[in-house]
Amino acid sequence: MFFMMINFDLGSLMGYEFGYQYYTLNVDIQNSIFSGLSTIASANGYVYAFNSYNYIVEEFIVKNNDITHFRGYTDLNQAILWTDICITLAGGGGNGGGAVISGNTFTNCGVGVMLTRSPYYTYHAVDELGADNTTISGNTFNEGGEVADVWIYSQGHADDTVISGNTMNSDAGGHGIAQYAGKNLRTEISGNTINGADEGIYIRDGTGFVVDNNQINGIGESANTGIYIRGGA
């Protein structure tokens, strides 16, 4: 898919969105080219006592694609627009059947993949809050990464994530892999190659995590670390 628009009022480029961060969308995208992308997004949706629709992400597969963001990161002073995150997943993965994001090439994404909790988290049971059992493997991240190539967000309730065998090539000042504090359990980070990030792997207040056999080629500054672990158990 090749797509680009211009906002003539602002004189700026516009990318396209596949899904939306507040809606449930089952995804199976394989062997495709996305040029001019803003974001691919899905979430566990709104639920109430008498609903009859499926509000749970049942399938999220993104494999063997070329994904290029339409403009790259917009500098917001330690923040990011959600439309600068190439993939946002906020739900799914119940009963062990988690998302698979594998074999893709990401280019110029402020964040390549973000896992977070459903925007309707107050309506969900605990096991429906986040993107559980997600596998992010064998991807290549080029350019971008101003925040992180893979980002597990604060209070994300993203349990049993596997991040393995990825190659991250970023010189934009962010993290290769970042897991923020709160309710993200048993993350495995193994066999990744991280080149040029200010901090290769950052974990805050993690529980039951494993970091093993990663190769981190840093920027040669004493103030920056290859693996930064703060708190946790």
Side-chain angles (χ1 to χ4, degrees):
M1 297 176 67
F2 298 85
F3 190 77
M4 191 74 71
M5 293 181 64
I6 296 176
N7 183 327
F8 290 101
D9 292 331
L10 299 176
S12 60
L13 295 175
M14 298 173 63
Y16 61 92
E17 301 173 15
F18 192 92
Y20 186 50
Q21 62 176 337
Y22 287 92
Y23 295 161
T24 302
L25 178 71
N26 290 323
V27 169
D28 188 349
I29 303 171
Q30 301 188 49
N31 304 307
S32 300
I33 297 173
F34 287 83
S35 181
L37 178 74
S38 172
T39 188
I40 300 169
S42 187
N44 286 348
Y46 182 78
V47 58
Y48 57 95
F50 303 104
N51 74 300
S52 58
Y53 67 93
N54 184 9
Y55 61 89
I56 297 294
V57 180
E58 293 185 335
E59 181 179 58
F60 195 93
I61 298 171
V62 182
K63 296 176 66 176
N64 303 320
N65 304 287
D66 287 333
I67 298 171
T68 302
H69 194 267
F70 75 101
R71 68 177 175 202
Y73 174 67
T74 301
D75 190 356
L76 293 178
N77 190 21
Q78 298 184 334
I80 189 169
L81 296 169
W82 80 274
T83 50
D84 286 351
I85 301 170
C86 281
I87 294 180
T88 300
L89 182 58
N95 301 316
V100 177
I101 302 168
S102 178
N104 305 286
T105 298
F106 293 85
T107 302
N108 212 21
C109 304
V111 172
V113 180
M114 176 182 177
L115 305 181
T116 187
R117 68 185 178 186
S118 166
Y120 300 108
Y121 62 92
T122 57
Y123 295 89
H124 291 293
V126 171
D127 62 353
E128 297 175 349
L129 294 179
D132 295 337
N133 301 296
T134 299
T135 297
I136 303 167
S137 66
N139 302 286
T140 300
F141 299 84
N142 294 323
E143 305 174 22
E146 284 83 357
V147 175
D149 289 317
V150 177
W151 191 19
I152 304 177
Y153 195 61
S154 302
Q155 303 296 326
H157 289 266
D159 298 339
D160 301 296
T161 304
V162 175
I163 305 167
S164 66
N166 302 284
T167 299
M168 300 171 177
N169 302 310
S170 174
D171 58 1
H175 307 291
I177 299 167
Q179 176 179 295
Y180 284 12
K183 309 300 183 182
N184 298 307
L185 308 179
R186 299 178 298 275
T187 302
E188 177 186 325
I189 301 171
S190 63
N192 301 284
T193 300
I194 303 172
N195 300 312
D198 276 11
E199 288 174 341
I201 298 170
Y202 174 90
I203 298 175
R204 181 165 182 178
D205 296 335
T207 300
F209 59 88
V210 174
V211 178
D212 181 57
N213 197 33
N214 301 282
Q215 179 175 325
I216 301 171
N217 302 308
I219 61 175
E221 298 289 341
S222 60
N224 300 101
T225 56
I227 300 174
Y228 187 134
I229 297 173
R230 179 177 176 182

